[in-house]
Every structure is written in C-alpha cells, then in structure tokens.
Amino acid sequence: MATPPIVKKIGKLAGFGVFPNFTCPGEVPDFKTHNLIYGFNGSGKTTLSRVFSSLERGAPEAALPPDCKFEIELDNGVVISESANLDYLKKRILVFNVDFVERNLQWSAGKAEPVFYIGEEQAELGARLAESEAKAASLRDALNAERKEAIANAKLLADNKTNTARLIAEQLNYGRRYNATNLFDDYEVQNYGEEFVLSDDDLDQQKRIFNQSEALPELHPIEELGFACSKWALYTHRALESTIGTLVAADLQKHSAMLSWLKTGVEYHEHHALTECLLCGNTLKPERLNAVKQSVDSQTGRLVQLFPELIETAKEMLRKLDAIPSRPAPEYVT
C-alpha cells in the first residue's frame, strides 16, 4: 500500500488578519510526522486550523476571509491552493477546532439532563427535531383553541335550543311539555325555510287560534235549501258506484262487460224465435230469456233515468246557495 502524502510546509498565506502577506522563508524547517504549533491568543492558530479544515472539506472554510489565498506543499510535490487541487486531501485530514465543536457538538436544554448531538448529520436532525417540536407545540395550542371554541359553540347551541323551546312553550301555553329535545326532533323531520316566516299580524292570528280556550261558535245548517244535501250526496255516491252488472242477475255480475252484447243477443233470439242458443247450442227456455231481458231493460232504464234527476237537483242546490247572503266569519276569542 502506497504511503499517503503528508503536508511538507505552508508556502504562502495572504489576506488573513494575522497573515496579510506571508511567504515561507527558506530557513523554516519542513513539517514532520508530528508537529506542535503553539502561541498566544490571536496569534493565528485558529486561522491555520481553518486552512487545514479547507483541505479536509475540499472547499474553503466559511469562516475564512473571502479574498484570502494560501498554498500548501505536500511531500510528493503537489501544491494545494484555494483555487487548485483543493479536494486532493478531502476526507483524509481531520481537524478538531472551535468550528468543529460548533458544527458537531450541540445541546438542547430541557427538563432532563442536556442531550448532545455528535456529528453534523445528527446536529441537523437535532435542529429538525427542535423545529418539529416547535411546530407540534404550535399545533397543540391551535388544537386546544379549536376544542375550547367547539365547547363554547356547543354550549351556545344548547342554550339557544333551550331558550327557543322555552319561548315556543310560553307562546303556545305548552308549559313543560315542550323542551329542547322536542325542538331538536322537530328540526330533524322538517326544514323550516323562509316560506314558514309569518308576519306579525299572521303570527298573532295563529296564536289566537291556537290559544282558543272555548269551542268555536256553532255553525247552523243552511235552512234555505229546502232539501238535505247529505241525502243527495248519498244517492249520487251510490249511482256513481253502480254499473249495469251490479243491477242484473247474480250470475251476470262477473261478466258485466258483456251486458250490451247480451241485450243484443236476447233481442236477436227473440226476433227469430230461436229455441236453442246460437253460441252454446243449449236449449233456450222462454222463462230464462224473459228473465234476462226484463232484468237488463228495467235496471238499465232505472240507472239512466237516475243521473239526470241527480244533475238537476245539484243545479238547483247551487242556485239556492248562490242566492244566500254571505255571513261574516266568527270572531275568535283569546
């Protein structure tokens, strides 16, 4: 395995605070396997560590001045600068300085002991966790606010139902028989839109009717007609329900649609004095033929005569009703 290259010397530093324009003199010895650099605060130790950190990262360290320049010579002759071969030793150098601590050692104080995140990735995850926890706290606050508002709205609705039901009960003299539960049930089965809104006058009128404590005034029958409407209605109802089939013999009621044909057939057989039925061939007895003929003729005539009489009676009734003076509506007593 080939021996990895090592840093031989720092050839040039320019644009740094303590190294505005440094060029390594010839009498400065090259770096060895182990080297120790020491000095007072502000003498440039951190600046040098950031130069080496740039080699580690393969990019200029963010804390270095933007216009700085440097050259690092390796023992294999390669020269690394801020603009050339900067990634030659990427990830082959490890620098532990104040920047490393700030990037990789972070802690969040809580109720328990401080928690440390080691490594840049863990530090980023810690930052994301803190952000998520802040969002979670904000969402919890919003949720609690929504819950409080929901509870307040539910109480407001319950109070409104109670007060509305009490008002209805007072207006209609229901007492305790009508409450918020009854009001809720009413709105479950009926949608009360604008068409149900009454004017003040209509509302007062309906309340007077509803709160009527006495029976309504007696309505006396109309005496001027001279005949009973109920009896006329009964006769009319029976006539409208009647058919020829309901009036003739019982064995023909199941076939009432054939009555007109039957009447024509009876007349034909009687006219030709036939003794046998042309349809079935059975003997046609005279008494049977006469019974059917009389039944059809008499019942049909009776029903046909009944309708004109009922119509004339109805017309006469209407004429007399029109002639009766109108009477004022009764007053409702509150």
Side-chain angles (χ1 to χ4, degrees), residues 285-297:
K285 297 180 180 181
E287 57 271 18
R288 176 61 173 169
L289 185 63
N290 290 332
V292 174
K293 177 182 176 182
Q294 292 174 4
S295 178
V296 172
D297 289 342

Side-chain angles (χ1 to χ4, degrees), residues 137-158:
S138 177
L139 291 175
R140 281 194 298 269
D141 293 340
L143 178 60
N144 291 333
E146 292 290 340
R147 286 175 175 171
K148 291 181 180 179
E149 184 178 0
I151 293 174
N153 289 337
K155 184 179 183 304
L156 183 62
L157 176 61

Side-chain angles (χ1 to χ4, degrees), residues 266-277:
V266 169
E267 294 174 351
Y268 185 87
H269 284 71
E270 184 181 31
H271 179 73
H272 293 84
L274 298 177
T275 59
E276 293 183 355
C277 179

